[in-house]
């Protein structure tokens, strides 16, 4: 069974990092945007799979019980 998890840097104490320069902040913002885009792209791909395959890999279903 496959489990997909995401690490939230804010929960890991990343907010206590020292202040960075403006270019570093822009790069960090860009990196977060790219990571969010990749996560959404992965979710769309998984949601596009047939229900039987999503069930087999443990992807949550949207069908009510």
């Amino acid at each position: 069974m496959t489990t997909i998890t995401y690490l939230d840097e804010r929960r890991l104490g990343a907010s206590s990092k020292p202040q960075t320069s403006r270019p570093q902040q822009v790069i960090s913002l860009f990196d977060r945007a790219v990571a969010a885009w990749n996560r959404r792209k992965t979710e769309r791909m998984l949601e596009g799979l047939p229900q039987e395959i999503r069930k087999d890999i443990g992807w949550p279903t949207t069908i009510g019980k």
Side-chain angles (χ1 to χ4, degrees), residues 18-48:
Q19 292 291 334
T20 57
S21 64
R22 186 66 74 189
Q24 283 296 94
Q25 290 174 345
V26 171
I27 290 170
S28 175
L29 178 63
F30 178 75
D31 288 342
R32 287 194 321 250
V34 168
W37 183 78
N38 283 330
R39 276 192 306 272
R40 181 62 187 134
K41 185 172 73 169
T42 301
E43 288 174 3
R44 282 193 313 262
M45 185 271 307
L46 288 169
E47 290 170 355

